[in-house]
Amino acid sequence: MTEKEIICALKNVLVNEYGFVRKGKHFYKDICNDLTIVFGLQKSRYGEYAYLECGYCIKSINQYLPYPKFYQLNLNCGRIMTKNGQAIRFAEVDEHYMEDLIKIIIREYQEMSKRAELEKEQFIAYYL
């Protein structure tokens, strides 16, 4: 698959089924009044692969609203790990790989959503 095809496949699930908003290679979902979950595809400078990263935007303190890039997030949660590692090599992505990747993303989204419901102190303690 190409990078565009991967983004399109992610859009079909994240935007159409889970209510995310897409802006470029990033996907945004407001979780509560002050938190937005962000997934972003970061293409490597060194080859035909990318990384899928996730994190939180804290809206009350983020100066890059409404759509901060991944490096502008308040809390970077890291890269999504697939069964083939963190690097998503475009040439290796087929229908089955994409299905697995989407399952991993949805599982991570659900976990991040649960953490967002924690009390502020618990949320901070979890990530620190």
Side-chain angles (χ1 to χ4, degrees):
M1 285 185 143
T2 65
E3 180 182 23
K4 262 187 172 175
E5 291 171 325
I6 292 170
I7 290 171
C8 185
L10 292 173
K11 177 186 169 254
N12 286 338
V13 174
L14 293 175
V15 173
N16 297 341
E17 294 180 32
Y18 287 88
F20 278 75
V21 173
R22 176 181 166 227
K23 184 75 171 171
K25 299 177 188 178
H26 290 74
F27 297 87
Y28 303 86
K29 172 80 180 212
D30 287 340
I31 294 302
C32 59
N33 290 338
D34 202 33
L35 284 178
T36 299
I37 291 176
V38 181
F39 287 95
L41 193 65
Q42 178 68 34
K43 189 169 188 283
S44 172
R45 297 179 189 170
Y46 304 106
E48 287 300 307
Y49 60 95
Y51 299 101
L52 187 62
E53 301 173 319
C54 61
Y56 294 94
C57 169
I58 302 171
K59 294 185 277 187
S60 62
I61 61 173
N62 194 293
Q63 62 184 344
Y64 301 103
L65 296 175
Y67 303 112
K69 303 276 190 221
F70 191 75
Y71 62 88
Q72 298 168 327
L73 296 180
N74 302 99
L75 182 56
N76 177 335
C77 296
R79 295 176 173 165
I80 299 293
M81 179 67 77
T82 70
K83 63 182 179 185
N84 296 336
Q86 293 178 336
I88 300 169
R89 300 184 190 290
F90 301 138
E92 296 175 5
V93 178
D94 60 11
E95 188 175 311
H96 298 292
Y97 185 104
M98 203 63 216
E99 287 174 8
D100 288 340
L101 179 61
I102 288 171
K103 285 178 188 175
I104 292 167
I105 293 167
I106 298 308
R107 188 170 43 241
E108 185 64 27
Y109 159 66
Q110 291 169 339
E111 288 298 317
M112 290 175 76
S113 295
K114 286 179 190 173
R115 288 181 215 128
E117 294 173 3
L118 295 172
E119 294 292 326
K120 185 177 180 179
E121 293 78 20
Q122 292 174 315
F123 181 81
I124 292 169
Y126 180 86
Y127 284 105
L128 294 180

